[in-house]
């Protein structure tokens, strides 16, 4: 099959989206191009050499076979229902279907106002574009499901926020941009109109349709709810073990395909803080690191409520079925979390007896304010017997409490069942050396705002192999100095 654009979502009709006209910018310039993603997609040409692609990625002129639309959705923002949101600063060019039949939304973020802009300018400053590019690509390299970044283009036009900033547009690639909030719009704002059509569409696009026959209730909505339950549980478990704080887990930022989306106020923790929360607008800590598993459970419950009328005609049966599925979430989260935590700490599995050991490690990280990423990496180098040959001793000093704890840890490790090299290989794959640390992202953004993109390119490049040491890692892997610490992040809308 020849790769190319298709428009199945636009085909659902005018209730779901609105045609989007181009809103040209004056002086588009390519900032970043993701050649390896382009190759994986089977995208031919690059905006470097194909001026029409640069024009298209700047939103100036559509590419052939694209059908730009803005989609409508709703969502709970910080727990408050907003009956209509939608792509206020994003344009969906269409779905790119690869040679093997995989389908991805190609979306321009920051390409101008749409029918859903609610008075906003539809634009994005360069800072949030760079942040999303860097962090989403790093997340991909860390094996976390995520939307991807294909390109970043400077518009040559200013964007007015607290200050005047250079504008930019991100080309985002996602399995789809369909959200809990998309279902909410049809179920709640429109009182059930078209929600069945939407659910059938999502199930056909994102779920294993063989499950339709297996599910006792047989309903597409139940299949959807169950697969979203599994995806959310797995995704949030992965965030937790990496110390990733999303920062704005509104239902419109929870994708049904289970990819991480919206890198606005996100941050990885540096030193371990069990209450880590970075977003300047999250004053109550609703989306703090420890609350993420519970919040995604809540988002799942919102989805369940929207799907009730489709799950069964009988209200009681519908509620019971939905509740059973939503109740699977804690155990699924726990299973993924324990599995990955065991891998990170170099144990074959976490047994009930191990909880004091694991808690003891976290307690030391918290009281000694140790760097979360480097502390787990220290365990990895010790377990692999590679500490002395690695740059880690220059990056991480081990307090006595941790050395003492490690005696018990080594004793427990000697009781591991199974192949030792498999266990240490798993440690290597779960404990990154490099994460996109706030201070590095911020410094790269500062450079980009000053017209120097090289530092961003270097950060993106380094993020592509997070589990391997490279020369220069004393800079990329080190924890920030106290004066460099970024403790607050901003949405950047
Ligand atoms: P976000 O915080 O990025 O999840 O955005 C929440 C909602 O606000 C979405 O519907 C966005 O499309 C919309 N939005 C954010 N920034 C802008 C902007 N500059 N112009 C128009 N709409 C925006
Ligand atoms: Mg959003």
């Amino acid at each position: 099959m020849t790769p190319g654009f298709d428009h199945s979502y636009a085909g659902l009709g005018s209730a779901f989206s609105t045609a989007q006209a181009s809103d040209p910018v004056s002086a588009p310039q390519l900032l970043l191009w993701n050649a390896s993603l382009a190759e994986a997609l089977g995208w031919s040409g690059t905006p470097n050499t194909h001026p029409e692609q640069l024009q298209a990625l700047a939103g100036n002129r559509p590419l052939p076979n694209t059908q730009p639309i803005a989609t409508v959705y709703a969502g709970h923002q910080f727990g408050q229902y907003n009956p209509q949101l939608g792509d206020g600063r994003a344009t969906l060019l269409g779905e790119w279907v690869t040679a093997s039949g995989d389908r991805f939304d190609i979306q321009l973020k920051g390409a101008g106002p749409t029918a859903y802009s609610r008075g906003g300018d539809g634009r994005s400053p360069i800072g949030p574009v760079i942040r999303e590019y860097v962090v989403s690509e790093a997340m991909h390299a860390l094996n976390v499901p995520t939307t991807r970044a294909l390109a970043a283009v400077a518009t040559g036009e200013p964007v007015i926020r607290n200050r005047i900033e250079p504008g930019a547009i991100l080309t985002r690639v996602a399995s789809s941009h369909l959200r809990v909030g998309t279902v909410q719009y049809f179920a709640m704002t429109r009182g059930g109109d078209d929600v069945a059509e939407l659910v059938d569409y999502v199930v056909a696009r994102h779920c294993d349709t063989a499950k339709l026959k297996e599910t006792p209730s047989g309903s597409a909505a139940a299949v959807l709810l169950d697969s979203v339950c599994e995806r959310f549980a797995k995704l949030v478990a992965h965030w937790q073990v990496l110390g990733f704080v999303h920062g704005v887990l509104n239902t419109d930022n929870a994708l049904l395909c289970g990819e991480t989306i919206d890198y606005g106020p996100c941050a990885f923790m540096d030193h371990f803080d069990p209450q880590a929360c970075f977003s300047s607008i999250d004053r109550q800590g609703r989306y703090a690191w420890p609350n993420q598993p519970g919040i995604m459970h809540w988002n799942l419950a919102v989805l369940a409520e929207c799907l009730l009328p489709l799950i069964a005609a009988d209200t009681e049966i519908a509620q019971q079925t939905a509740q059973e599925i939503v109740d699977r979430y804690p155990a699924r989260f726990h299973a993924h979390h324990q599995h990955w935590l065991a891998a990170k700490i170099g144990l074959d599995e976490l047994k009930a007896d191990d909880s004091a050991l694991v808690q003891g490690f976290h307690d030391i990280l918290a009281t000694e304010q140790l760097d979360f990423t480097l502390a787990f990496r220290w365990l990895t180098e010790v377990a692999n017997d590679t500490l002395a040959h690695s740059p880690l001793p220059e990056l991480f000093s081990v307090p006595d409490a941790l050395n003492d704890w490690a005696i018990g840890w080594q004793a427990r490790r000697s009781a591991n069942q199974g192949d030792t090299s498999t266990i240490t290989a798993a440690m290597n794959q779960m404990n990154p050396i490099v994460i996109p640390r706030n201070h590095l992202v911020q410094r790269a953004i500062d450079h980009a705002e000053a017209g120097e993109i090289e530092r961003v390119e270097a950060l993106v490049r380094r993020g592509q192999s997070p589990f391997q040491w490279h020369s220069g890692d004393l800079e990329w892997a080190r924890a920030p100095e106290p004066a460099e610490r970024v403790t607050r992040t901003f949405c950047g809308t």
Side-chain angles (χ1 to χ4, degrees):
M1 195 158 77
T2 316
F5 277 105
D6 187 47
H7 305 283
S8 65
Y9 197 70
L12 291 182
S14 61
F16 297 84
S17 62
T18 309
Q20 180 61 29
S22 301
D23 185 17
V25 295
S26 56
Q29 234 186 327
L30 187 67
L31 296 170
L32 299 160
W33 174 249
N34 192 338
S36 64
L37 176 57
E39 194 186 326
L41 291 171
W43 188 280
S44 61
T46 88
N48 281 307
T49 51
H50 294 63
E52 73 283 2
Q53 288 201 6
L54 178 62
Q55 294 302 326
L57 300 181
N60 282 4
R61 224 177 308 124
L63 281 174
N65 305 320
T66 56
Q67 194 177 316
I69 56 171
T71 74
V72 63
Y73 53 86
H76 275 90
Q77 300 178 301
F78 290 89
Q80 296 291 319
Y81 187 58
N82 190 326
Q84 198 203 290
L85 295 161
D87 294 327
R89 55 163 169 177
T91 300
L92 180 64
L93 299 183
E95 300 135 26
W96 181 262
V97 183
T98 67
S100 48
D102 294 325
R103 183 177 292 263
F104 298 96
D105 278 7
I106 309 284
Q107 195 196 56
L108 302 183
K109 188 172 171 189
T114 73
Y116 312 109
S117 292
R118 299 175 295 141
D121 61 2
R123 295 292 176 189
S124 178
I126 191 171
V129 166
I130 298 294
R131 176 179 288 272
E132 177 159 347
Y133 195 113
V134 168
V135 185
S136 67
E137 285 304 303
M139 288 288 266
H140 173 72
L142 289 163
N143 301 316
V144 182
T146 177
T147 63
R148 305 280 312 267
L150 180 63
V153 172
T155 61
E157 293 179 355
V159 175
I160 300 165
R161 298 291 183 263
N162 288 334
R163 56 195 171 97
I164 297 177
E165 299 173 57
I169 297 172
L170 182 84
T171 306
R172 180 159 67 188
V173 179
S175 290
S176 89
H177 287 86
L178 301 165
R179 310 143 198 266
V180 171
T182 315
V183 179
Q184 283 183 281
Y185 174 76
F186 292 96
M188 295 170 76
T189 305
R190 286 169 54 93
D193 284 1
D194 300 312
V195 68
E197 192 179 359
L198 176 68
V199 167
D200 287 344
Y201 177 87
V202 182
V203 169
R205 189 161 166 183
H206 291 303
C207 301
D208 178 3
T209 42
K211 289 229 171 90
L212 285 175
K213 291 189 206 93
E214 293 163 20
T215 321
S217 72
S219 98
V223 169
L224 175 62
L225 187 61
D226 186 59
S227 41
V228 173
C229 172
E230 170 60 21
R231 285 174 198 154
F232 282 7
K234 191 170 184 185
L235 181 66
V236 77
H238 213 156
W239 292 343
Q240 296 310 95
V241 297
L242 286 169
F244 176 77
V245 187
H246 181 282
V248 60
L249 283 177
N250 297 335
T251 56
D252 54 305
N253 290 333
L255 290 185
L256 301 172
C257 65
E259 291 173 0
T260 312
I261 191 172
D262 199 321
Y263 288 90
C266 71
F268 284 81
M269 57 172 89
D270 291 301
H271 65 278
F272 178 58
D273 172 5
Q275 298 301 325
C277 180
F278 296 92
S279 170
S280 60
I281 58 167
D282 190 4
R283 292 197 189 89
Q284 316 275 322
R286 178 181 171 90
Y287 300 138
W289 179 75
N291 296 347
Q292 297 187 125
I295 284 291
M296 288 301 268
H297 195 195
W298 191 88
N299 289 347
L300 184 72
V302 168
L303 177 66
E305 203 178 335
C306 292
L307 295 175
L308 283 178
L310 297 180
I311 287 177
D314 181 287
T315 318
E316 224 166 281
I317 294 174
Q319 274 173 355
Q320 201 185 338
T321 307
Q323 191 68 54
E324 272 168 23
I325 298 172
V326 173
D327 287 347
R328 289 173 198 158
Y329 174 93
R332 285 177 174 179
F333 167 77
H334 187 71
H336 289 297
H337 190 249
Q338 295 292 99
H339 173 74
W340 277 326
L341 205 51
K344 279 178 81 77
I345 216 156
L347 301 184
D348 49 355
E349 61 172 323
L350 286 181
K351 305 192 181 88
D353 289 1
D354 295 321
S355 58
L357 185 76
V358 173
Q359 188 58 46
F361 179 67
H362 285 87
D363 288 346
I364 294 167
L365 298 197
T367 45
E368 304 275 345
Q369 296 246 312
L370 297 185
D371 187 83
F372 185 77
T373 304
L374 294 177
F376 275 104
R377 194 64 206 184
W378 180 75
L379 298 181
T380 311
E381 303 296 345
V382 170
N384 280 277
D385 215 2
T386 45
L387 186 63
H389 318 289
S390 82
L392 195 73
E394 287 181 75
L395 295 164
F396 184 71
S397 39
V398 187
D400 291 344
L402 187 53
N403 274 322
D404 293 347
W405 173 88
I407 297 167
W409 172 61
Q410 294 286 34
R412 165 62 185 85
R413 274 175 37 78
S414 63
N416 272 344
Q417 309 275 307
D419 180 31
T420 307
S421 62
T422 311
I423 293 169
T424 43
M427 278 185 101
N428 262 320
Q429 274 310 297
M430 281 311 293
N431 290 320
I433 293 158
V434 166
I435 48 160
R437 292 180 184 269
N438 291 331
H439 71 288
L440 295 177
V441 175
Q442 191 52 55
R443 199 177 311 154
I445 290 171
D446 294 343
H447 279 246
E449 285 182 352
E452 296 157 26
I453 202 69
E454 294 75 15
R455 210 181 158 91
V456 180
E457 289 171 336
L459 185 57
V460 171
R461 215 177 307 120
R462 183 61 192 90
Q464 285 165 355
S465 47
F467 303 104
Q468 284 149 23
W469 289 105
H470 289 279
S471 64
D473 273 350
L474 293 186
E475 192 52 26
W476 296 120
R478 73 176 171 85
E481 301 292 341
E484 291 176 309
R485 275 188 192 170
V486 177
T487 54
R488 278 276 157 272
T489 54
F490 301 88
C491 266
T493 45

